[in-house]
Amino acid sequence: MPQAPIDVYSWPTPNGHKIHIMLEECELPYRAHPVNIGKGDQFESAFLKISPNNKIPAITDPEGPDGKAISLFESGAILVYLAGKTGKFLPTSDRARYEVLQWLMFQMGGVGPMLGQTHHFRNYAPEKIGYAIDRYSNEARRLYGVIDKQLSANKFIAGKTFSIADIAIFPWLRSHENQGIVLADFPYVKAWFDGIAARPAVQRGVKVLADLRTPITGEKEREILFGKTQYQRR
């Protein structure tokens, strides 16, 4: 019997692209459901049932580990789940597995949050705060330097093979210009980035829902994303 499609509740952001790319790389059937974070779809009760932190992405797999449906939120957890489901992009040996997982955690705890703050203060903050811009722009450069050093000795982020660590980090680096980064300053990152970007499944993944996204320009969108609406208890 053919596999039932996984329902993906997402938006074309770096965290959303991670899952779109993973699904394409794994050749899993899926249905993408847009959650327009600029309009506040992430606060709808139906979405909160599967993503209580009101963040995209989230998935529902009708064929979970025990044959029953399972819903998951947090992109890192979803990547690990899909890797386990398919046996792809996460090694089975303990040593290699932990090598990948540590770089996945590096993305979740460092690259995502810090580059996200860099985006915010450089592009979205209503006032330009020099201290914040310098702090996060400098941290962005530091993180790119860490990745560049790792890639100077490895073909991929966690070693010799493409893994969920690469899938997790790549989408965040697509906006390097908005982070004040010149990719040519990090030659190993650039070579790796160009190689990942050339993968057909990656090219398909970054197009998922992409035609729905528009620039954040209105005050209502800014308030939903960055104002009091974000902090209401639900």
Side-chain angles (χ1 to χ4, degrees):
M1 292 180 62
Q3 282 187 307
I6 293 171
D7 288 299
V8 185
Y9 302 89
S10 188
W11 196 241
T13 69
N15 285 332
H17 286 318
K18 294 179 201 174
I19 307 310
H20 309 157
I21 290 170
M22 182 65 171
L23 289 163
E24 290 289 344
E25 287 281 0
C26 292
E27 299 182 306
L28 284 169
Y30 69 95
R31 294 180 293 231
H33 305 276
V35 179
N36 190 328
I37 59 176
K39 292 183 178 180
D41 292 353
Q42 66 272 36
F43 305 121
E44 296 292 333
S45 59
F47 182 68
L48 291 173
K49 287 181 179 179
I50 60 173
S51 183
N53 194 35
N54 62 257
K55 304 292 183 183
I56 62 95
I59 68 166
T60 296
D61 182 359
E63 298 175 354
D66 52 4
K68 299 177 182 178
I70 185 172
S71 293
L72 293 167
F73 69 102
E74 283 294 331
S75 58
I78 297 170
L79 288 176
V80 172
Y81 171 75
L82 294 174
K85 181 181 178 73
T86 61
K88 295 182 178 180
F89 311 122
L90 183 61
T92 55
S93 71
D94 286 346
R95 182 174 296 274
R97 181 182 179 88
Y98 288 127
E99 287 285 341
V100 171
L101 290 176
Q102 70 178 350
W103 285 101
L104 175 64
M105 297 306 113
F106 166 78
Q107 187 281 307
M108 299 298 295
V111 171
M114 294 299 103
L115 297 190
Q117 292 297 324
T118 308
H119 286 169
H120 181 79
F121 286 106
R122 291 178 66 94
N123 301 290
Y124 299 127
E127 58 180 304
K128 298 297 182 182
I129 304 171
Y131 175 82
I133 292 172
D134 290 344
R135 172 178 168 79
Y136 289 110
S137 296
N138 288 336
E139 178 64 3
R141 288 191 62 83
R142 188 190 74 80
L143 290 167
Y144 274 79
V146 171
I147 300 168
D148 200 59
K149 183 177 180 180
Q150 174 68 3
L151 289 169
S152 71
N154 297 279
K155 182 177 180 180
F156 296 102
I157 292 293
K160 296 180 180 180
T161 58
F162 179 75
S163 74
I164 57 174
D166 301 282
I167 292 172
I169 291 174
F170 171 78
W172 281 100
L173 274 53
R174 293 179 71 227
S175 298
H176 53 87
E177 292 181 355
N178 288 339
Q179 300 153 12
I181 297 294
V182 177
L183 212 55
D185 291 344
F186 303 92
Y188 295 103
V189 173
K190 187 179 187 307
W192 166 86
F193 181 90
D194 291 344
I196 301 299
R199 294 174 70 94
V202 172
Q203 293 177 359
R204 294 193 301 271
V206 298
K207 291 178 181 177
V208 176
L209 304 177
D211 59 337
L212 300 179
R213 186 173 182 176
T214 57
I216 299 169
T217 56
E219 288 304 313
K220 184 176 181 180
E221 286 181 311
R222 288 178 179 273
E223 200 285 323
I224 288 172
L225 289 169
F226 311 126
K228 292 181 180 180
T229 299
Q230 184 66 238
Y231 304 113
Q232 292 174 7
R233 188 171 181 177
R234 294 176 172 84

